Amino acid sequence: MYKALIIDDELEAIESVYSAFDWNSLHITDIVKISDQHGLVERIASESPHVVFIDIEMGVVSGLDVIEACSTLLPETMFVIISGHDDFEYARLSIKLDVVYYLLKPFTEYEVDIATEKLMNGLNVRFGGRTGVQLNDINSFLSNKQQFQDFMVESGISFPKNYRFIVVCMEQVNLESLNLCLQSQLIRRYKIGSKKYLLVVEEPLRDSSMILLENTCTIGDMTLGISDVIKLPEEAYGAFKQANMLAYGAFINDRYGVYKIEKDSDREFDELVSLLDRCFSNEDVNGLKEILFALPETARSKSFNMEQIVFFHNTFIISLNTLLRARSNQDFLYILSFEELLNEYSDIRSMCCALVESLEAVTETFTEHNGETPKVNSAEIIEQVKNYLHSHYVQKIRIKDLSAMFYISEAYLSDIFKNTTQKTIIEYLADVRIEAAKESLINTRMNISNIAESVGYGDYCYFNKIFKKYVGITPYQYRKKHTGIVEHEN
């Protein structure tokens, strides 16, 4: 079904990757091994693989440069880095390039399992839903660039006119006020969550409309994310992701409002990441805490966006894992996707508090336990945590709250839960919620948006994405398959 390339200038390294992975479980049936460094970008483009495993340093060729060059030619192809260098800068650049996993040589079975899990999820989301998609269900298109682009064209969004996307998150549904603000500029409106909408507006977006939108957000408890101008169909998916990210500006600013990309924040953010790197390199724990304590105000004053905040979070986690691995030959902290971050933390302040606690837990492990894992009755704790998740899955559940409830650090709780269940806490909770949702889809006539809320997902778009990730089809398709019921969700 899927095709993979393994690229390294050492044949032994290629074979080690080939023998490490269970290709059947990934449904990868075509595997091409490449040791020749000449014309790699053209070779990858001609092969059109679903997955590429590539070394960072191959003589004069940089794997990161190859990935960057391929990102526009093959935007949906997934890349796994193979490297013998545990380097902060490499890891940071890998995050920027949206690399699926950074696999260090020699890699362990545990790391291969994590990489396999991420590849399974990615293959399912990017390539698994290409057939049988319902045209009246826009949520089916929100995780696939080509499908989203085609949907925009098929639904009558004509180019070369200029548009913007606006994603609206609202506490109380009040569409009339949005119609009033945008009037004839509003071309299309799609429901993508129980209280979330995607608007397509025609340029130019008038100043008077912007003023009305600002006032409406303040009065009506709404947050809007507005994309840059879209001039071509192939820009549509990137603009949607941009607007969707900006619609959660309240996470940073603690207020409702209208959010657009601030172009001048990149330099200040790069300086912050460089400072973070220096503190980790020097193992300056106090310096790291100062960065975290100051981040909420820094993010507001420098107009950081959610993409930067997710990048900061994951860079911090990778660096903390690198420090932990150097001291104890293990890591147990997990990077989060944009949706997972929003599901895990209520705002940037709670995220920073959790990172401070993780930092303290790691350094406490070094100083008080001499690198040894604290002795607790882990089996009993895991059973209690699992029981709690099954009983409270409707509620917002954070690892921070669970660790406080059971009097152990977030890092250690995450570690023993993963080792015991082979799933992260977030993944296990998603399993519980999805099973409850499947039961409701089959045994009730409840609206799918309401089912999403009933199992703990207030955002229908995120519920749809998670359901498809775990089940392989959308909730709509699952209900139709098992009951024959056909309905319009939006």
Side-chain angles (χ1 to χ4, degrees):
M1 290 176 57
Y2 299 122
K3 181 177 185 177
L5 306 185
I6 307 175
I7 304 173
D8 201 302
D9 58 342
E10 298 177 0
L11 292 174
E12 184 180 348
I14 292 177
E15 291 304 321
S16 68
V17 173
Y18 180 74
S19 61
F21 283 83
D22 180 356
W23 304 107
N24 289 330
S25 67
L26 289 166
H27 301 291
I28 292 176
T29 56
D30 187 2
I31 303 167
V32 180
K33 304 173 184 178
I34 301 174
S35 59
D36 183 3
Q37 305 162 45
H38 179 70
L40 275 179
V41 174
E42 293 78 10
R43 177 71 186 276
I44 294 171
S46 67
E47 294 282 357
S48 296
H50 300 89
V51 182
V52 176
F53 297 80
I54 186 168
D55 192 7
I56 282 188
E57 293 185 357
M58 299 174 288
V60 296
V61 177
S62 165
L64 291 172
D65 290 342
V66 172
I67 294 172
E68 185 171 14
C70 289
S71 62
T72 54
L73 298 173
L74 301 167
E76 291 188 353
T77 296
M78 296 185 291
F79 287 86
V80 176
I81 287 289
I82 309 165
S83 175
H85 302 277
D86 199 357
D87 185 275
F88 176 88
E89 183 62 17
Y90 283 159
R92 187 173 72 88
L93 291 172
S94 296
I95 296 175
K96 275 195 171 181
L97 293 173
D98 198 25
V99 167
V100 173
Y101 197 68
Y102 192 99
L103 196 58
L104 280 171
K105 304 176 189 176
F107 34 84
T108 65
E109 184 178 344
Y110 176 67
E111 289 171 312
V112 171
D113 287 344
I114 296 176
T116 299
E117 184 177 332
K118 289 183 177 294
L119 285 171
M120 281 182 174
N121 293 336
L123 287 168
N124 184 46
V125 169
R126 299 190 191 196
F127 305 105
R130 288 268 170 97
T131 59
V133 177
Q134 303 298 320
L135 290 178
N136 60 357
D137 179 10
I138 187 174
N139 290 282
S140 300
F141 300 92
L142 298 183
S143 60
N144 185 286
K145 180 178 180 179
Q146 188 61 50
Q147 286 183 359
F148 185 83
Q149 175 183 319
D150 293 345
F151 177 81
M152 285 293 116
V153 174
E154 291 169 6
S155 62
I157 309 300
S158 59
F159 293 91
K161 287 183 179 180
N162 293 346
Y163 302 94
R164 288 184 194 266
F165 285 163
I166 301 178
V167 172
V168 185
C169 295
M170 56 181 72
E171 292 299 320
Q172 299 295 326
V173 177
N174 187 1
L175 300 178
E176 292 76 10
S177 60
L178 294 175
N179 292 337
L180 179 63
C181 293
L182 296 168
Q183 300 181 27
S184 61
Q185 288 180 282
L186 179 60
I187 306 301
R188 293 283 189 281
R189 183 178 69 212
Y190 304 100
K191 185 177 182 182
I192 58 175
S194 59
K195 299 176 182 178
K196 187 177 177 184
Y197 294 82
L198 170 63
L199 313 181
V200 184
V201 297
E202 192 171 354
E203 277 288 283
L205 192 56
R206 292 187 293 267
D207 290 341
S208 58
S209 295
M210 288 296 297
I211 293 171
L212 284 172
L213 287 172
E214 287 277 6
N215 293 336
T216 300
C217 286
T218 303
I219 297 171
D221 295 344
M222 292 188 218
T223 304
L224 273 63
I226 301 181
S227 76
D228 289 333
V229 175
I230 313 160
K231 299 181 179 179
L232 298 169
E234 52 265 33
E235 297 171 349
Y237 187 63
F240 163 71
K241 291 178 67 177
Q242 184 187 65
N244 188 51
M245 170 195 69
L246 291 166
Y248 293 92
F251 183 93
I252 300 172
N253 296 278
D254 196 29
R255 66 174 181 82
Y256 300 106
V258 177
Y259 296 97
K260 297 193 294 184
I261 285 287
E262 299 290 343
K263 302 295 185 184
D264 298 333
S265 66
D266 289 345
R267 181 178 58 82
E268 287 89 349
F269 182 73
D270 288 343
E271 290 174 355
L272 177 65
V273 173
S274 296
L275 176 59
L276 187 71
D277 181 21
R278 290 196 296 272
C279 288
F280 270 110
S281 297
N282 298 326
E283 297 189 13
D284 181 1
V285 175
N286 289 332
L288 291 169
K289 287 183 179 179
E290 287 179 9
I291 292 174
L292 292 171
F293 289 141
L295 182 60
E297 181 55 38
T298 301
R300 284 189 285 269
S301 63
K302 303 297 184 183
S303 298
F304 290 167
N305 57 61
M306 278 302 297
E307 184 176 27
Q308 291 168 324
I309 296 305
V310 175
F311 181 83
F312 177 93
H313 175 276
N314 289 340
T315 299
F316 192 97
I317 291 299
I318 286 176
S319 303
L320 197 56
N321 276 338
T322 301
L323 179 63
L324 184 60
R325 178 180 292 182
R327 296 292 191 89
S328 61
N329 196 33
Q330 63 175 324
D331 60 339
F332 45 67
L333 303 171
Y334 304 99
I335 62 174
L336 301 177
S337 67
F338 171 60
E339 293 88 353
E340 288 170 337
L341 188 81
L342 293 170
N343 199 45
E344 181 68 22
Y345 306 113
S346 58
D347 53 31
I348 190 172
R349 191 171 299 281
S350 64
M351 182 196 83
C352 289
C353 289
L355 290 177
V356 168
E357 290 183 3
S358 295
L359 177 64
E360 289 177 340
V362 169
T363 53
E364 180 182 338
T365 298
F366 297 153
T367 56
E368 294 187 7
H369 302 282
N370 298 317
E372 297 180 0
T373 304
K375 299 295 187 294
V376 297
N377 189 339
S378 58
E380 182 178 337
I381 289 176
I382 294 308
E383 282 305 310
Q384 291 177 12
V385 171
K386 287 164 63 177
N387 289 337
Y388 183 86
L389 296 177
H390 281 277
S391 302
H392 298 81
Y393 64 85
V394 177
Q395 303 172 8
K396 183 178 179 67
I397 297 176
R398 300 177 298 176
I399 297 176
K400 172 185 175 181
D401 300 328
L402 291 173
S403 67
M405 189 181 306
F406 296 103
Y407 303 103
I408 57 175
S409 73
E410 291 180 62
Y412 184 58
L413 175 59
S414 298
D415 183 39
I416 62 174
F417 195 93
K418 174 73 174 182
N419 289 338
T420 303
T421 66
Q422 308 307 309
K423 298 177 185 290
T424 66
I425 294 175
I426 292 174
E427 291 164 346
Y428 189 91
L429 177 60
D431 277 344
V432 173
R433 287 171 167 169
I434 293 303
E435 287 303 314
K438 287 162 68 175
E439 185 175 345
S440 294
L441 287 166
I442 294 175
N443 297 322
T444 76
R445 294 297 301 272
M446 192 186 305
N447 180 276
I448 295 179
S449 295
N450 293 335
I451 290 177
E453 291 189 76
S454 74
V455 298
Y457 293 111
D459 183 341
Y460 173 82
C461 179
Y462 182 52
F463 168 68
N464 190 81
K465 180 177 179 179
I466 289 294
F467 191 96
K468 186 175 180 182
K469 170 182 173 182
Y470 280 81
V471 183
I473 55 178
T474 66
Y476 171 89
Q477 294 163 338
Y478 184 85
R479 169 171 275 175
K480 182 179 178 182
K481 176 180 177 181
H482 290 277
T483 67
I485 296 173
V486 178
E487 64 180 51
H488 295 278
E489 296 176 52
N490 299 316

mmCIF file of all heavy atoms in Angstrom, residues 132-153:
data_model
loop_
_atom_site.group_PDB
_atom_site.id
_atom_site.type_symbol
_atom_site.label_atom_id
_atom_site.label_comp_id
_atom_site.label_asym_id
_atom_site.label_seq_id
_atom_site.Cartn_x
_atom_site.Cartn_y
_atom_site.Cartn_z
ATOM 1 N N GLY A 132 -13.943 7.462 -0.385
ATOM 2 C CA GLY A 132 -15.179 7.386 0.377
ATOM 3 C C GLY A 132 -15.458 8.600 1.241
ATOM 4 O O GLY A 132 -16.231 8.531 2.178
ATOM 5 N N VAL A 133 -14.866 9.758 0.930
ATOM 6 C CA VAL A 133 -15.090 10.952 1.740
ATOM 7 C C VAL A 133 -16.413 11.603 1.339
ATOM 8 O O VAL A 133 -16.714 11.744 0.162
ATOM 9 C CB VAL A 133 -13.931 11.953 1.537
ATOM 10 C CG1 VAL A 133 -14.191 13.225 2.308
ATOM 11 C CG2 VAL A 133 -12.615 11.325 1.987
ATOM 12 N N GLN A 134 -17.211 11.982 2.317
ATOM 13 C CA GLN A 134 -18.499 12.596 2.046
ATOM 14 C C GLN A 134 -18.312 14.083 1.734
ATOM 15 O O GLN A 134 -17.722 14.824 2.512
ATOM 16 C CB GLN A 134 -19.416 12.447 3.267
ATOM 17 C CG GLN A 134 -19.623 10.994 3.685
ATOM 18 C CD GLN A 134 -20.288 10.181 2.600
ATOM 19 O OE1 GLN A 134 -21.194 10.669 1.944
ATOM 20 N NE2 GLN A 134 -19.837 8.958 2.411
ATOM 21 N N LEU A 135 -18.826 14.533 0.588
ATOM 22 C CA LEU A 135 -18.611 15.919 0.174
ATOM 23 C C LEU A 135 -19.342 16.908 1.062
ATOM 24 O O LEU A 135 -19.019 18.084 1.056
ATOM 25 C CB LEU A 135 -19.086 16.086 -1.282
ATOM 26 C CG LEU A 135 -18.211 15.384 -2.340
ATOM 27 C CD1 LEU A 135 -18.813 15.585 -3.721
ATOM 28 C CD2 LEU A 135 -16.791 15.922 -2.307
ATOM 29 N N ASN A 136 -20.358 16.461 1.801
ATOM 30 C CA ASN A 136 -21.078 17.393 2.661
ATOM 31 C C ASN A 136 -20.459 17.466 4.054
ATOM 32 O O ASN A 136 -21.006 18.091 4.949
ATOM 33 C CB ASN A 136 -22.556 16.999 2.773
ATOM 34 C CG ASN A 136 -22.719 15.602 3.353
ATOM 35 O OD1 ASN A 136 -21.745 14.921 3.606
ATOM 36 N ND2 ASN A 136 -23.965 15.189 3.546
ATOM 37 N N ASP A 137 -19.332 16.843 4.254
ATOM 38 C CA ASP A 137 -18.677 16.811 5.569
ATOM 39 C C ASP A 137 -17.299 17.442 5.442
ATOM 40 O O ASP A 137 -16.320 16.788 5.147
ATOM 41 C CB ASP A 137 -18.556 15.359 6.046
ATOM 42 C CG ASP A 137 -17.854 15.251 7.396
ATOM 43 O OD1 ASP A 137 -17.652 16.301 8.032
ATOM 44 O OD2 ASP A 137 -17.510 14.129 7.792
ATOM 45 N N ILE A 138 -17.208 18.747 5.653
ATOM 46 C CA ILE A 138 -15.942 19.449 5.432
ATOM 47 C C ILE A 138 -14.874 18.983 6.409
ATOM 48 O O ILE A 138 -13.680 19.055 6.110
ATOM 49 C CB ILE A 138 -16.127 20.987 5.533
ATOM 50 C CG1 ILE A 138 -14.819 21.699 5.118
ATOM 51 C CG2 ILE A 138 -16.566 21.406 6.917
ATOM 52 C CD1 ILE A 138 -14.953 23.185 5.051
ATOM 53 N N ASN A 139 -15.281 18.475 7.573
ATOM 54 C CA ASN A 139 -14.284 18.002 8.537
ATOM 55 C C ASN A 139 -13.432 16.871 7.978
ATOM 56 O O ASN A 139 -12.314 16.647 8.431
ATOM 57 C CB ASN A 139 -14.975 17.556 9.829
ATOM 58 C CG ASN A 139 -15.543 18.734 10.589
ATOM 59 O OD1 ASN A 139 -14.836 19.451 11.242
ATOM 60 N ND2 ASN A 139 -16.850 18.943 10.453
ATOM 61 N N SER A 140 -13.947 16.158 7.004
ATOM 62 C CA SER A 140 -13.172 15.094 6.381
ATOM 63 C C SER A 140 -11.984 15.636 5.594
ATOM 64 O O SER A 140 -11.067 14.900 5.270
ATOM 65 C CB SER A 140 -14.061 14.278 5.433
ATOM 66 O OG SER A 140 -15.136 13.695 6.123
ATOM 67 N N PHE A 141 -11.998 16.933 5.263
ATOM 68 C CA PHE A 141 -10.958 17.510 4.429
ATOM 69 C C PHE A 141 -9.919 18.299 5.227
ATOM 70 O O PHE A 141 -8.935 18.775 4.656
ATOM 71 C CB PHE A 141 -11.588 18.463 3.399
ATOM 72 C CG PHE A 141 -12.572 17.809 2.491
ATOM 73 C CD1 PHE A 141 -13.922 17.790 2.807
ATOM 74 C CD2 PHE A 141 -12.168 17.189 1.332
ATOM 75 C CE1 PHE A 141 -14.834 17.183 1.971
ATOM 76 C CE2 PHE A 141 -13.078 16.573 0.493
ATOM 77 C CZ PHE A 141 -14.415 16.570 0.813
ATOM 78 N N LEU A 142 -10.111 18.432 6.525
ATOM 79 C CA LEU A 142 -9.300 19.372 7.286
ATOM 80 C C LEU A 142 -7.915 18.860 7.628
ATOM 81 O O LEU A 142 -7.124 19.588 8.204
ATOM 82 C CB LEU A 142 -10.030 19.787 8.574
ATOM 83 C CG LEU A 142 -11.361 20.515 8.348
ATOM 84 C CD1 LEU A 142 -11.962 20.939 9.671
ATOM 85 C CD2 LEU A 142 -11.203 21.716 7.434
ATOM 86 N N SER A 143 -7.599 17.622 7.313
ATOM 87 C CA SER A 143 -6.264 17.101 7.624
ATOM 88 C C SER A 143 -5.524 16.653 6.372
ATOM 89 O O SER A 143 -4.524 15.960 6.461
ATOM 90 C CB SER A 143 -6.370 15.918 8.603
ATOM 91 O OG SER A 143 -7.143 14.877 8.037
ATOM 92 N N ASN A 144 -5.989 17.083 5.195
ATOM 93 C CA ASN A 144 -5.366 16.643 3.955
ATOM 94 C C ASN A 144 -5.310 17.821 2.981
ATOM 95 O O ASN A 144 -6.333 18.367 2.583
ATOM 96 C CB ASN A 144 -6.173 15.493 3.340
ATOM 97 C CG ASN A 144 -5.505 14.914 2.110
ATOM 98 O OD1 ASN A 144 -5.505 15.528 1.057
ATOM 99 N ND2 ASN A 144 -4.947 13.732 2.268
ATOM 100 N N LYS A 145 -4.101 18.199 2.593
ATOM 101 C CA LYS A 145 -3.891 19.395 1.773
ATOM 102 C C LYS A 145 -4.596 19.309 0.431
ATOM 103 O O LYS A 145 -5.325 20.233 0.043
ATOM 104 C CB LYS A 145 -2.397 19.618 1.570
ATOM 105 C CG LYS A 145 -2.069 20.848 0.725
ATOM 106 C CD LYS A 145 -0.580 21.060 0.596
ATOM 107 C CE LYS A 145 -0.289 22.294 -0.247
ATOM 108 N NZ LYS A 145 1.161 22.547 -0.371
ATOM 109 N N GLN A 146 -4.398 18.201 -0.298
ATOM 110 C CA GLN A 146 -4.957 18.094 -1.634
ATOM 111 C C GLN A 146 -6.472 18.032 -1.597
ATOM 112 O O GLN A 146 -7.163 18.686 -2.396
ATOM 113 C CB GLN A 146 -4.403 16.850 -2.339
ATOM 114 C CG GLN A 146 -4.783 16.757 -3.821
ATOM 115 C CD GLN A 146 -4.259 17.923 -4.634
ATOM 116 O OE1 GLN A 146 -3.078 18.262 -4.561
ATOM 117 N NE2 GLN A 146 -5.148 18.585 -5.383
ATOM 118 N N GLN A 147 -7.031 17.269 -0.650
ATOM 119 C CA GLN A 147 -8.486 17.182 -0.542
ATOM 120 C C GLN A 147 -9.095 18.531 -0.195
ATOM 121 O O GLN A 147 -10.140 18.917 -0.728
ATOM 122 C CB GLN A 147 -8.869 16.146 0.519
ATOM 123 C CG GLN A 147 -8.655 14.717 0.085
ATOM 124 C CD GLN A 147 -9.114 13.730 1.152
ATOM 125 O OE1 GLN A 147 -9.565 14.125 2.215
ATOM 126 N NE2 GLN A 147 -8.989 12.453 0.854
ATOM 127 N N PHE A 148 -8.453 19.267 0.716
ATOM 128 C CA PHE A 148 -8.972 20.575 1.116
ATOM 129 C C PHE A 148 -8.949 21.531 -0.074
ATOM 130 O O PHE A 148 -9.905 22.264 -0.323
ATOM 131 C CB PHE A 148 -8.151 21.133 2.278
ATOM 132 C CG PHE A 148 -8.692 22.426 2.827
ATOM 133 C CD1 PHE A 148 -9.719 22.422 3.752
ATOM 134 C CD2 PHE A 148 -8.182 23.648 2.420
ATOM 135 C CE1 PHE A 148 -10.227 23.610 4.263
ATOM 136 C CE2 PHE A 148 -8.676 24.841 2.920
ATOM 137 C CZ PHE A 148 -9.703 24.820 3.844
ATOM 138 N N GLN A 149 -7.844 21.532 -0.804
ATOM 139 C CA GLN A 149 -7.704 22.385 -1.982
ATOM 140 C C GLN A 149 -8.783 22.061 -3.008
ATOM 141 O O GLN A 149 -9.443 22.968 -3.548
ATOM 142 C CB GLN A 149 -6.322 22.186 -2.586
ATOM 143 C CG GLN A 149 -6.073 22.921 -3.891
ATOM 144 C CD GLN A 149 -4.699 22.610 -4.454
ATOM 145 O OE1 GLN A 149 -3.723 22.543 -3.712
ATOM 146 N NE2 GLN A 149 -4.616 22.404 -5.750
ATOM 147 N N ASP A 150 -8.985 20.776 -3.283
ATOM 148 C CA ASP A 150 -10.002 20.366 -4.252
ATOM 149 C C ASP A 150 -11.405 20.760 -3.786
ATOM 150 O O ASP A 150 -12.245 21.190 -4.592
ATOM 151 C CB ASP A 150 -9.940 18.851 -4.476
ATOM 152 C CG ASP A 150 -8.655 18.414 -5.171
ATOM 153 O OD1 ASP A 150 -7.954 19.281 -5.727
ATOM 154 O OD2 ASP A 150 -8.333 17.207 -5.107
ATOM 155 N N PHE A 151 -11.649 20.605 -2.477
ATOM 156 C CA PHE A 151 -12.968 20.943 -1.944
ATOM 157 C C PHE A 151 -13.265 22.427 -2.136
ATOM 158 O O PHE A 151 -14.382 22.812 -2.502
ATOM 159 C CB PHE A 151 -13.046 20.581 -0.460
ATOM 160 C CG PHE A 151 -14.356 20.973 0.174
ATOM 161 C CD1 PHE A 151 -15.474 20.177 0.025
ATOM 162 C CD2 PHE A 151 -14.466 22.145 0.903
ATOM 163 C CE1 PHE A 151 -16.685 20.537 0.597
ATOM 164 C CE2 PHE A 151 -15.668 22.513 1.471
ATOM 165 C CZ PHE A 151 -16.780 21.705 1.325
ATOM 166 N N MET A 152 -12.275 23.279 -1.892
ATOM 167 C CA MET A 152 -12.482 24.711 -2.054
ATOM 168 C C MET A 152 -12.880 25.042 -3.494
ATOM 169 O O MET A 152 -13.786 25.839 -3.742
ATOM 170 C CB MET A 152 -11.194 25.469 -1.685
ATOM 171 C CG MET A 152 -10.914 25.541 -0.199
ATOM 172 S SD MET A 152 -12.112 26.550 0.701
ATOM 173 C CE MET A 152 -12.844 25.295 1.766
ATOM 174 N N VAL A 153 -12.201 24.440 -4.444
ATOM 175 C CA VAL A 153 -12.493 24.710 -5.853
ATOM 176 C C VAL A 153 -13.867 24.166 -6.225
ATOM 177 O O VAL A 153 -14.679 24.846 -6.865
ATOM 178 C CB VAL A 153 -11.405 24.092 -6.757
ATOM 179 C CG1 VAL A 153 -11.782 24.248 -8.228
ATOM 180 C CG2 VAL A 153 -10.053 24.761 -6.492
#
